[in-house]
Amino acid sequence: MKGRKLLMIPGPIEFEPEVLSTLGKPTTSHVAPDFIESFGASLEMMRKVWQSPSGQPFIVGGTGTLAMDMAGSNLIEHGDEALVVSSGYFGERFADILKRYGAKVDVLKHEVGKAVTPAEIEAALKAKKYKLLTFTHVDTSTSVKLDPKPIGELGKKYNVLTILDGVCSVAGEEIQQEEWGIDVVLTASQKAVGVPPGLALLVASPKAMDVFKNRKTPVGNYYADWNNWLNIMQAYEARKPSYFGTPPVNLVSALEVSLKIILNEGIDKRIARHHKIASAFRAAMKALNLHIIPENDSVAANTLSAIYYPKEVAAADLLREINLAGIIVAGGLLKDLATAYFRVGHMGSVNASDILGTIGAIEAALKKCNYTFEPSAGIIAAQKVLLG
Ligand code: PMP
């Protein structure tokens, strides 16, 4: 029996072999010509993946939370009004970050599983003048997805900076940053971008960079301060050596490999693959009479799914049995519902076999837990979507 289990959590994910083998190469100097080339090429490719030809990309050692911290610390000044559109745990985190930098924060949210609508956001923007709004494209705690396009348009209409937490969406869900007028799109390496944890990635619009440059007060975070990083990004892109903090050399080299894989697949094809695999998984859950957290498929993510345990099944038992069947999935993340649901990641390199294997393991685990269902119903429903 294979010793290795398939990692189907919403990040870190299964990485491509070329990405992993790049990590194992001898670490070079952060000012070596071939590394400068890797860094510069990665910045250029980020603009393509983010679809932001005029944006300023940043690659910094850290996690997705650092990328959120960068957006917050560089764009907020004490007393600024900010609106956080939340669909779960990571929306709440953004509110905490913005408050830390002195923002007055209003949070717009609904009960778990329901997405805030553009009309509700517009009403909030009409009622009060905000400097910026943040929203989570896919909240990884609930698998609820928002549509960034109308939110970007509202940002332009009301002259509010729009910050998209794309940690669980960039390179897995459609984002046209520039066309849709989103000012910051941020993510982390370990999700659909396909590189092990350790890189904070973001692209800022010219408007966001102007707001940053016109700050009246210093940035309240030394490491995250774009004044320290902008020159570094510009130098690498101009293929010149520079230094502020030692970059995670191997991770950046792996990022170059992964971004090439993403662009070779083609953004549109990649998004369509995520959509098909997610639709197949949701069809399987429906066929097994399991319910997902998002109130309907139009607000359900393509990068992960959050599924309620059936009432008659104990959370720990089901997770253990899925694991024994060779698949690693994640438990719940929302504090009040942590034992009520589990999460399955399906992003990045994920393919049809991975998702069918996962559904097979869920069926095997449900059977072990004495849940009543039609054996293979999930597999059949998923295969219909995958072959359709
Ligand atoms: N935002 C979202 C939507 C996320 O899914 C995560 C990580 N799960 C984060 C932010 C924070 O990223 P990290 O764990 O890399 O700090």
Side-chain angles (χ1 to χ4, degrees):
M1 202 170 111
K2 240 194 335 190
R4 190 174 164 272
K5 295 176 195 279
L6 188 70
L7 186 62
M8 294 294 285
I9 67 170
I13 60 159
E14 291 270 324
F15 301 113
E16 298 281 3
E18 304 93 299
V19 170
L20 292 178
S21 61
T22 302
L23 284 175
K25 290 192 178 152
T27 304
T28 186
S29 160
H30 56 287
V31 290
D34 54 346
F35 179 68
I36 293 177
E37 177 54 37
S38 265
F39 206 125
S42 298
L43 291 165
E44 286 162 4
M45 285 189 284
M46 276 174 70
R47 284 205 191 84
K48 294 195 176 129
V49 172
W50 268 242
Q51 304 196 43
S52 182
S54 339
Q56 174 57 54
F58 290 86
I59 301 172
V60 177
T63 75
T65 306
L66 174 70
M68 298 165 83
D69 215 19
M70 276 198 148
S73 61
N74 285 284
L75 295 174
I76 287 292
E77 296 193 64
H78 202 84
D80 285 342
E81 298 282 353
L83 179 67
V84 169
V85 180
S86 174
S87 329
Y89 182 95
F90 291 102
E92 304 297 324
R93 177 170 294 186
F94 230 146
D96 285 347
I97 290 173
L98 301 181
K99 281 182 204 157
R100 183 66 62 93
Y101 295 112
K104 292 188 215 147
V105 177
D106 293 328
V107 178
L108 202 52
K109 65 176 180 183
H110 285 305
E111 64 267 33
V112 173
K114 210 166 173 284
V116 173
T117 63
E120 290 163 333
I121 298 173
E122 178 151 29
L125 298 183
K126 259 190 195 152
K128 192 173 187 177
K129 176 66 194 147
Y130 291 100
K131 177 180 187 178
L132 64 76
L133 74 81
T134 72
F135 63 110
T136 319
H137 195 173
V138 169
D139 201 297
T140 320
S141 66
T142 55
S143 72
V144 167
K145 181 176 73 171
L146 299 181
D147 181 0
K149 193 177 175 202
I151 302 177
E153 280 159 7
L154 287 172
K156 281 197 264 185
K157 184 169 170 191
Y158 290 90
N159 194 23
V160 177
L161 288 174
T162 45
I163 318 294
L164 182 153
D165 173 351
V167 174
C168 204
S169 70
V170 171
E173 304 276 4
E174 187 184 12
I175 302 173
Q176 298 187 32
Q177 181 176 356
E178 193 153 322
E179 177 72 24
W180 295 350
I182 317 278
D183 292 299
V184 174
V185 174
L186 61 92
T187 190
S189 50
Q190 75 272 17
K191 306 245 180 187
V193 167
V195 179
L199 292 176
L201 306 169
L202 70 79
V203 177
S205 71
K207 188 169 149 201
M209 294 312 293
D210 278 348
V211 169
F212 155 71
K213 284 174 188 158
N214 291 320
R215 288 178 67 95
K216 294 189 178 56
T217 55
V219 173
N221 180 318
Y222 185 72
Y223 184 69
D225 189 342
W226 284 341
N227 286 302
N228 292 325
W229 293 108
L230 183 58
N231 292 342
I232 309 301
M233 300 304 129
Q234 288 168 341
Y236 274 118
E237 212 169 343
R239 308 302 194 263
K240 289 188 187 135
S242 64
Y243 166 76
F244 169 63
T246 311
V249 170
N250 297 52
L251 282 174
V252 175
S253 303
L255 176 66
E256 183 193 14
V257 173
S258 197
L259 291 171
K260 271 188 190 152
I261 292 172
I262 292 169
L263 290 171
N264 280 343
E265 180 178 12
I267 299 290
D268 293 349
K269 266 199 184 153
R270 190 174 175 90
I271 304 307
R273 172 168 59 81
H274 280 78
H275 182 254
K276 187 162 226 179
I277 286 174
S279 305
F281 185 77
R282 288 195 291 268
M285 294 305 102
K286 222 167 265 165
L288 296 171
N289 205 19
L290 298 186
H291 303 288
I292 59 171
I293 288 188
E295 63 173 344
N296 59 55
D297 279 3
S298 74
V299 295
N302 293 319
T303 47
L304 90 150
S305 298
I307 311 109
Y308 286 111
Y309 297 109
K311 275 187 216 67
E312 55 273 53
V313 170
D317 293 348
L318 192 79
L319 281 187
R320 189 189 61 243
E321 293 298 337
I322 296 174
N323 190 286
L324 286 174
I327 308 284
I328 305 169
V329 298
L333 186 57
L334 289 174
K335 211 166 79 216
D336 298 342
L337 287 175
T339 55
Y341 73 103
F342 66 106
R343 296 171 301 146
V344 174
H346 30 75
M347 67 185 119
S349 62
V350 67
N351 62 26
S353 312
D354 296 335
I355 208 69
L356 289 171
T358 303
I359 297 162
I362 292 172
E363 288 200 9
L366 288 169
K367 179 139 197 324
K368 282 264 169 58
C369 295
N370 299 317
Y371 175 73
T372 313
F373 65 102
E374 182 67 38
S376 309
I379 296 281
I380 291 168
Q383 195 57 299
K384 273 192 189 144
V385 175
L386 292 168
L387 301 180

